[in-house]
Amino acid sequence: MKKLLSKIALPVIALGFLTACEDVPAPYYILEKEANNPEVTGVFFSETFANSLGKFSVYNETTDGYEWRNDYSSAYISGYQNQTNLATTTWLISPTIDLSKASDSVYVSFEYILRYKRTSTKEQVKISTDYTDGAPSNATWTTLDLTLKEGSDYTTWSTAEVNIPKSMLSNANVVVALYYSCGASEASTWE
């Protein structure tokens, strides 16, 4: 009798598990639905800066100033290094990002530490749809409306998020840049 009950119980338990899983949408359904949707959702581009500046490029406007570099497992810039202030204007420029199939809400998000913020320094996020290579002054840039807050130490990271203007969506040639500028007398540090 025990054998008979166990032979009946096993298929009933298996049927119960299969029935319970029927209400869960299958992954292929979600992918099929996204494939039929011309808008793309998710991450368009990502860089960790853990070991290098990755696919980003650096452009310096000042010949004697400091430049963006990979330090402390992040992208790093400061106009004050080795106990010396130098006037610095430098760009950290992303590769081209294709937003031609973007939805109506796309944003730039990054973690940062900002120390020694001064009124004469600029830490900005800029975006362009006509930058190709070389001097950023040859392109049209829009400064995104973002205010970075100064931190109190070098271990607490803040998160910045700012929307990309809708007029730049549906464009296949979007470039994002972190722009830093300081004078020769005072400088901030931005990671």
Side-chain angles (χ1 to χ4, degrees):
M1 186 64 148
K2 261 185 173 180
K3 279 186 176 183
L4 180 61
L5 285 177
S6 64
K7 286 183 181 183
I8 294 172
L10 186 57
V12 170
I13 292 170
L15 182 61
F17 281 124
L18 292 174
T19 304
C21 295
E22 283 180 357
D23 294 336
V24 178
Y28 62 85
Y29 173 74
I30 295 169
L31 294 174
E32 180 182 329
K33 186 176 178 182
E34 288 178 0
N36 293 331
N37 183 353
E39 295 181 346
V40 175
T41 59
V43 176
F44 289 92
F45 179 76
S46 178
E47 183 63 60
T48 66
F49 302 122
N51 299 310
S52 71
L53 294 178
K55 295 181 180 180
F56 279 70
S57 61
V58 175
Y59 186 87
N60 292 319
E61 289 185 14
T62 47
T63 55
D64 294 333
Y66 298 110
E67 65 182 43
W68 284 95
R69 68 178 195 249
N70 179 264
D71 209 349
Y72 307 107
S73 297
S74 67
Y76 171 91
I77 185 61
S78 180
Y80 180 77
Q81 297 177 33
N82 303 317
Q83 300 184 359
T84 304
N85 272 318
L86 290 178
T88 297
T89 301
T90 184
W91 298 69
L92 183 61
I93 305 169
S94 78
T96 301
I97 303 167
D98 182 357
L99 296 182
S100 61
K101 295 182 180 177
S103 66
D104 63 353
S105 179
V106 178
Y107 61 95
V108 175
S109 175
F110 59 93
E111 293 181 323
Y112 71 95
I113 294 175
L114 178 62
R115 295 296 315 273
Y116 309 108
K117 174 69 177 147
R118 305 292 186 253
T119 56
S120 64
T121 62
K122 291 182 184 175
E123 305 86 13
Q124 299 173 329
V125 178
K126 295 181 178 273
I127 191 166
S128 176
T129 56
D130 63 358
Y131 177 78
T132 53
D133 197 14
S137 59
N138 294 332
T140 306
W141 294 90
T142 299
T143 302
L144 300 181
D145 187 20
L146 177 67
T147 302
L148 301 177
K149 64 179 182 177
E150 183 176 2
S152 58
D153 58 48
Y154 282 104
T155 59
T156 306
W157 295 83
S158 297
T159 300
E161 289 184 354
V162 60
N163 285 329
I164 292 175
K166 288 186 180 189
S167 62
M168 294 187 175
L169 302 184
S170 73
N171 193 304
N173 300 309
V174 176
V175 175
V176 177
L178 302 181
Y179 172 83
Y180 175 90
S181 179
C182 72
S185 60
E186 59 184 16
S188 61
T189 298
W190 188 13
E191 295 182 42

